[in-house]
């Protein structure tokens, strides 16, 4: 039985435990240059809301069935935000758990990077609200938006290189609250998604895991196959666009997304294994972006990975976008699916198309 991150009492965050005297930016001015290998994950945590939306709930609203959804995606239920809950609430809940896991207070963090396609508002970015709510110092805090389900690993990769300069401790959060922004009438997309958030602290040391290798790539030629067009300069918000439902229209060419997701997640996984000079047999667990069950099965087949080494929580959480890897990784650790010393491979794919993979040693 997979457990929700909400099943566990978060460890209290000891605000104010740090000296609080360090100047913002002091970490960079110290200009200590570390090697990539000295940067790791210091803590992780996740948050999934209480409210469960089942396939039967969807079948009562749109022309679909439990049988169709399960056979195509493996999803039986997903979590949706409660009315009034917003992206910042999610991100802060996950961040507090990651900070507690890292044994850090919010004031000890030197930077915040937040990946999301469902921000708190159009401007300013979600990271600004998170900095304030956490009680962090006046540090750099910014969003990496629009890279879909690959956003989390891209943000960790950026954090990893920024942490090398001066040994910064960087909070990376990923949050998706897509139930608030998607169309509840488009059966081709609405049944796929769930809401969640996850976070890690990246910095010198390897309190939770060492980052052994990372890769990322983009094929912007496929930008039209998956995305949400309205709201930018190409299709600005307007009454006409809203009447046509464009503000909620997730464009998704399902079969092409399927093909590309399998190919890119497999290739990125192979690349990080090669970079680290290890084989797939050395890996204890693969934690992929939870796109859908059939995609994960196809990636496992293509890699030659035994099914039990492919972690999935898709049945109970659906596709939670950029939050899916930190949510799945946190749950896999809670379930004892890997032990200290084990290699864990993360691989992701999202709108853009972007892809990224990372190899960790816990
Ligand atoms: N319930 C019932 N019928 C549906 C539903 C639904 N929820 N959604 C679509 N259909 C219908 C379509 O209208 C279509 O009907 P038609 O044949 O009369 O035109 C039919 O089902 C399509 O059926 P299939 O061809 O069997 O569908 P397919 O096997 O291609 O599965 C799916 C569709 C699940 C979208 C698949 O293409 C897929 O998994 N693609 C990847 C999409 C994905 O994972 N997106 C997540 C976001 S991207 C990411 O995370 C990387």
């Amino acid at each position: 039985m997979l457990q929700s991150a909400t099943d566990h009492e978060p460890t209290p965050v000891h605000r104010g435990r740090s000296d609080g005297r360090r100047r913002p930016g002091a970490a960079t001015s110290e200009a200590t240059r570390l090697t990539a290998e000295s940067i790791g994950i210091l803590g992780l945590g996740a948050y999934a809301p209480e409210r469960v939306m089942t396939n039967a709930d969807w079948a009562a609203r749109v022309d679909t069935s439990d049988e169709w959804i399960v056979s195509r995606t493996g999803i039986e239920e997903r979590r949706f935000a409660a009315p009034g809950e917003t992206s910042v609430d999610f991100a802060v809940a996950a961040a507090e758990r990651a900070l507690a896991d890292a044994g850090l207070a919010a004031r000890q963090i030197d930077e915040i990077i937040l990946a999301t396609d469902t921000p708190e508002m159009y401007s300013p970015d979600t990271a600004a609200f998170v900095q304030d709510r956490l009680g962090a110092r006046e540090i750099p805090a910014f969003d990496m938006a629009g890279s879909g389900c690959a956003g989390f690993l891209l943000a960790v990769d950026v954090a990893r290189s920024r942490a090398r300069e001066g040994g910064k401790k960087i909070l990376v959060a990923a949050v998706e609250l897509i139930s608030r922004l998607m169309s509840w009438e488009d059966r081709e997309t609405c049944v796929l998604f769930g809401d969640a958030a996850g976070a890690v602290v990246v910095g010198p040391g390897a309190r939770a895991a060492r980052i052994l290798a990372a890769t990322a790539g983009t094929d912007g030629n496929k930008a039209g196959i998956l995305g949400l067009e309205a709201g930018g300069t190409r299709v600005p918000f307007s009454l006409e666009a809203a009447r046509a439902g464009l503000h909620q229209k997730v464009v998704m060419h399902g079969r092409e997304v399927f093909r590309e997701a399998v190919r890119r997640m497999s290739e990125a996984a192979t690349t990080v294994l090669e970079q680290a000079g290890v084989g797939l047999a050395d890996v204890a667990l693969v934690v992929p972006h939870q796109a859908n069950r059939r995609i994960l099965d196809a990636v496992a087949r293509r890699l030659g990975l035994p099914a039990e080494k492919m972690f999935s929580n898709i049945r109970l959480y659906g596709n939670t976008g950029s939050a899916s890897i930190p949510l799945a990784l946190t749950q896999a650790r809670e379930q004892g699916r890997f032990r200290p010393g084990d290699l864990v491979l993360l691989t992701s794919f999202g709108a853009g198309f972007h892809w990224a993979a990372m190899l960790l040693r816990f």
Side-chain angles (χ1 to χ4, degrees), residues 10 41 93 169 208 245 327:
I41 297 199
K169 290 186 275 302
L327 175 67

Side-chain angles (χ1 to χ4, degrees), residues 8 12 21 24 44 64 84 86 97 143 160 190 192 194-196 209 226 235 246 248 253 259 332 344:
H8 300 264
R21 287 191 299 269
L44 59 152
T64 191
T86 66
R97 291 172 188 190
D143 281 11
R160 182 193 187 208
C190 67
L192 301 176
D195 299 336
L226 181 63
V235 184
L246 293 182
Q248 297 175 322
H253 296 267
R259 266 196 305 278
V344 176

Side-chain angles (χ1 to χ4, degrees), residues 64 68 72 149 187-188 252 254-255 289 292 294 319:
T64 191
W68 193 97
R72 298 317 194 283
C149 312
R187 69 175 184 172
E188 297 193 7
M252 186 184 76
R255 292 193 171 186
H289 162 53
N292 76 46
R294 288 194 308 171
N319 178 342

Side-chain angles (χ1 to χ4, degrees), residues 221-232:
N221 187 40
K222 305 261 177 12
I225 288 161
L226 181 63
L228 205 148
E229 197 179 18

Side-chain angles (χ1 to χ4, degrees), residues 336-348:
R337 293 289 301 273
F338 53 84
R339 298 178 195 293
D342 278 349
L343 290 176
V344 176
L345 197 162
L346 315 176
T347 187
S348 66

Side-chain angles (χ1 to χ4, degrees), residues 95-109:
E96 287 183 338
R97 291 172 188 190
L99 286 167
D101 190 50
L104 293 169
R107 296 190 66 78
Q108 292 173 283
I109 290 296

